[in-house]
Amino acid sequence: MSDSSRDTAAGAGWGDADRGAYRQLMPGRVEKISWLNPRLLWAARNGVLASWFGDPTGRTRGRLVARRASAGAPDDKVIRRTDPDEFSFMVIGDTGEGDDPQYAVVPGFLRVGQGTSFAVLASDVIYPVGSADDYGVKFFRPYRDYPAPIYAIPGNHDWYEDLGAFMRVFCDDAAPLPAEPAPRPLTRAWLRSLLWHRPRPEDGQGLERARELRGNPGQQAVQPGPYWAIDAGPVRIIGIDTGLLGVLDAEQGAWLREVSRCPRPKILITGSPLYVDGERRPCPTEGGGTVDEIVTAPAHHYVAAIGGDIHNYQRYPVRLPDGRTLQYVVAGGGGAFMHATHTIPRVSVAGVTEGDFRCYPLRGDSLAFYSRLYGRRLRLRRFFALTEEEAQAVVAERLGIAPTRTPGPRVRVTRRIRLIASLLGAGGRPERRKRFRLPVRKIYTQLFSPGSATYSPPFFKCFLRLDVSPESIRLRCHAATGNLAQELNPPVEDEVVIPLG
């Protein structure tokens, strides 16, 4: 097994490494997304409009699901597969920017995915707005050689064009919804409808040709809707659609409660992680209650909850009052720009401490990555860029922990290093945050991080493989850096065995 980032800096992808062969898979011309581009932000405005003027996705989703039911989709939305009691599947989240970081994941994904029965895309299949025109380069081309079916749950970006392209690709539902009656003038709904982003009439004309890239019979699957359950071997995998604002509509919430009563052990796949960045985010359901209340109920037998949306890997093993341990996982590192991990404060949530918590990239690698990125952008490389050792040392100091990776020569943490860590929002200890609250972390994560795409390794991408047996599930997080060493033998950055008893 190759070194991981927890073993060596070379295992993390640092140093003079050989570039991987992933660029041979890419199209000749790649559109580079910048989340600081005003035109792109205007196209992706529906999330803001929904928060200001009311979220229409619950009603739209209900109409889409009703039409799928009338077309013959099962009422319980359960996909019943014939996998044996021992089988494997892949999970990859937030994939579709169509650039170097997405394609750099593909060779390792195909290697590790050999012999798996299917894959699940967990949130944000297509950036920036879920357009049908983007599915060729950002879905069908990169995953054309994965031989098994791919199921998906939508993320907020897939909803920016009312989920039309997602329904065409994954649910075989090509017809647009009939227009609803116009809202009354001068109401919030009327204002929303005036400003709402909609797909162009000619969008998706090349979609059928793109489908040919994944045209083999063994690659085909049709979902009953944007949310579903899969019965495979001894487990039930449940995918939920949290729409634009990370909320479950009442109809889907009632379905989730009903489908969770099955006695099989269960894994939840969601676009809104329930634990992330050191916090619990239980995901409200319209009409009352939360998704996490459903997941933690002893009668429902959940063993893991995996969410996309955040573009890195995190794991929180939460001990429940009944004695079970439920694994909460963030798995959104499948291709989009990297969300920083160095901004995560020292973890202390629901009984999970730093010793239990896992993340990828390591916080020190995340800080070094962003210091070099902004050093280049600000033309201050000599001042701003931190080495991996410097970044690891200052993170360990701020959190009050030992360095995660075995350190090399001792590093003296200088005032310059501390200043850069502060400017880039490096997390600290909870007691310090209470005494001295700065808006740096919020500003950094909401403004600077989304514009931080990069096109040279290491990319710090990741994907999951889950091996299921009647007794347990082995979950492994594999890294993809864009370098050849990690492409040929994707390192295991985290591994946990989840009992099903």
Side-chain angles (χ1 to χ4, degrees):
M1 183 180 295
S2 61
D3 285 346
S4 74
S5 70
R6 292 178 172 269
D7 301 316
T8 63
W14 297 115
D16 297 325
D18 293 330
R19 181 76 68 94
Y22 68 87
R23 292 187 65 86
Q24 299 173 14
L25 307 174
M26 299 175 65
R29 182 179 178 276
V30 176
E31 179 186 3
K32 296 183 178 181
I33 292 177
S34 171
W35 291 102
L36 299 180
N37 184 332
R39 292 181 60 187
L40 188 151
L41 293 176
W42 175 243
R45 63 188 178 271
N46 286 358
V48 175
L49 295 176
S51 65
W52 287 354
F53 302 119
D55 185 0
T57 55
R59 180 173 176 81
T60 302
R61 184 187 297 111
R63 296 174 68 202
L64 291 169
V65 168
R67 189 166 70 180
R68 288 289 297 126
S70 67
D75 290 338
D76 60 4
K77 302 168 187 62
V78 177
I79 302 163
R80 293 175 171 84
R81 295 179 50 87
T82 57
D83 300 289
D85 283 349
E86 294 189 3
F87 76 100
S88 303
F89 69 101
M90 306 292 286
V91 175
I92 186 170
D94 298 81
T95 54
E97 288 194 357
D99 52 14
D100 289 57
Q102 178 178 10
Y103 278 85
V105 176
V106 174
F109 178 84
L110 295 177
R111 286 179 183 276
V112 175
Q114 291 179 11
T116 55
S117 298
F118 56 89
V120 177
L121 294 187
S123 177
D124 289 338
V125 180
I126 300 294
Y127 292 94
V129 294
S131 170
D133 282 342
D134 287 335
Y135 267 86
V137 171
K138 300 178 182 179
F139 174 71
F140 289 106
R141 184 185 183 99
Y143 310 118
R144 60 185 174 183
D145 292 327
Y146 181 68
I150 297 177
Y151 304 97
I153 57 167
N156 56 313
H157 287 266
D158 300 305
W159 269 103
Y160 287 165
E161 290 192 349
D162 292 331
L163 212 63
F166 182 96
M167 294 297 293
R168 290 173 68 177
V169 170
F170 294 103
C171 304
D172 199 23
D173 187 351
L177 285 173
E180 292 191 289
R184 290 186 296 109
L186 303 180
T187 61
R188 295 172 70 208
W190 177 76
L191 287 170
R192 184 184 65 219
S193 68
L194 289 180
L195 298 171
W196 200 252
H197 172 79
R198 295 177 176 85
R200 304 184 316 276
E202 67 274 16
D203 189 30
Q205 291 184 356
L207 189 57
E208 291 310 310
R209 179 176 295 178
R211 282 182 183 273
E212 296 174 3
L213 295 172
R214 282 187 50 82
N216 293 335
Q219 295 175 312
Q220 307 310 305
V222 177
Q223 298 176 190
Y227 58 93
W228 40 258
I230 298 173
D231 282 351
V235 299
R236 172 167 283 187
I237 303 157
I238 298 176
I240 59 173
D241 170 18
T242 53
L244 284 171
L245 302 182
V247 176
L248 237 61
D249 62 280
E251 179 181 339
Q252 187 180 179
W255 168 84
L256 179 60
R257 290 184 177 88
E258 181 62 32
V259 81
S260 295
R261 294 192 178 103
C262 163
R264 291 171 179 249
K266 297 174 189 68
I267 301 168
L268 182 75
I269 309 287
T270 171
S272 297
L274 303 181
Y275 281 79
V276 62
D277 293 346
E279 299 176 353
R280 176 177 179 261
R281 301 179 187 176
C283 187
T285 300
E286 290 180 357
T290 69
V291 170
D292 199 33
E293 289 175 357
I294 298 172
V295 166
T296 56
H300 293 160
H301 306 292
Y302 280 89
V303 297
I306 302 171
D309 189 52
I310 304 301
H311 306 166
N312 53 45
Y313 173 82
Q314 302 173 43
R315 181 169 64 84
Y316 301 82
V318 174
R319 185 83 167 175
L320 301 179
D322 62 4
R324 294 177 297 136
T325 296
L326 208 157
Q327 300 290 340
Y328 291 90
V329 175
V330 177
F337 68 89
M338 187 190 89
H339 276 130
T341 58
H342 66 264
T343 58
I344 302 172
R346 180 167 174 163
V347 170
S348 180
V349 58
V352 179
T353 64
E354 268 302 315
D356 309 312
F357 172 68
R358 294 290 183 272
C359 70
Y360 177 78
L362 300 179
R363 290 180 177 99
D365 288 330
S366 172
L367 179 59
F369 175 97
Y370 275 106
S371 72
R372 297 178 189 194
L373 181 68
Y374 285 109
R376 291 195 300 270
R377 290 187 173 184
L378 298 173
R379 300 182 185 275
L380 294 171
R381 294 191 192 190
R382 293 185 65 181
F383 172 78
F384 219 81
L386 300 178
T387 68
E388 312 92 81
E389 293 82 7
E390 289 171 337
Q392 182 176 235
V394 72
V395 165
E397 178 187 87
R398 292 175 72 91
L399 296 180
I401 61 175
T404 306
R405 186 161 59 230
T406 302
R410 187 175 183 276
V411 173
R412 186 172 69 90
V413 179
T414 64
R415 293 174 66 183
R416 178 188 73 89
I417 295 172
R418 293 189 182 101
L419 174 62
I420 294 166
S422 295
L423 289 174
L424 292 179
R429 308 184 202 185
E431 61 271 18
R432 287 182 177 175
R433 289 186 293 133
K434 291 177 182 178
R435 292 199 308 264
F436 188 55
R437 291 181 181 270
L438 282 175
V440 171
R441 180 171 179 260
K442 184 175 181 180
I443 293 172
Y444 176 82
T445 55
Q446 293 188 1
L447 177 61
F448 292 105
S449 182
S452 298
T454 185
Y455 299 96
S456 60
F459 296 126
F460 297 112
K461 301 290 97 185
C462 59
F463 54 89
L464 307 184
R465 174 174 170 138
L466 291 90
D467 301 307
V468 181
S469 74
E471 295 79 29
S472 64
I473 299 171
R474 183 174 68 160
L475 182 153
R476 287 177 291 170
C477 170
H478 289 269
T481 66
N483 287 329
L484 184 62
Q486 288 81 36
E487 190 174 277
L488 294 175
N489 191 3
V492 176
E493 290 292 337
D494 186 35
E495 179 173 354
V496 62
V497 175
I498 306 169
L500 297 184

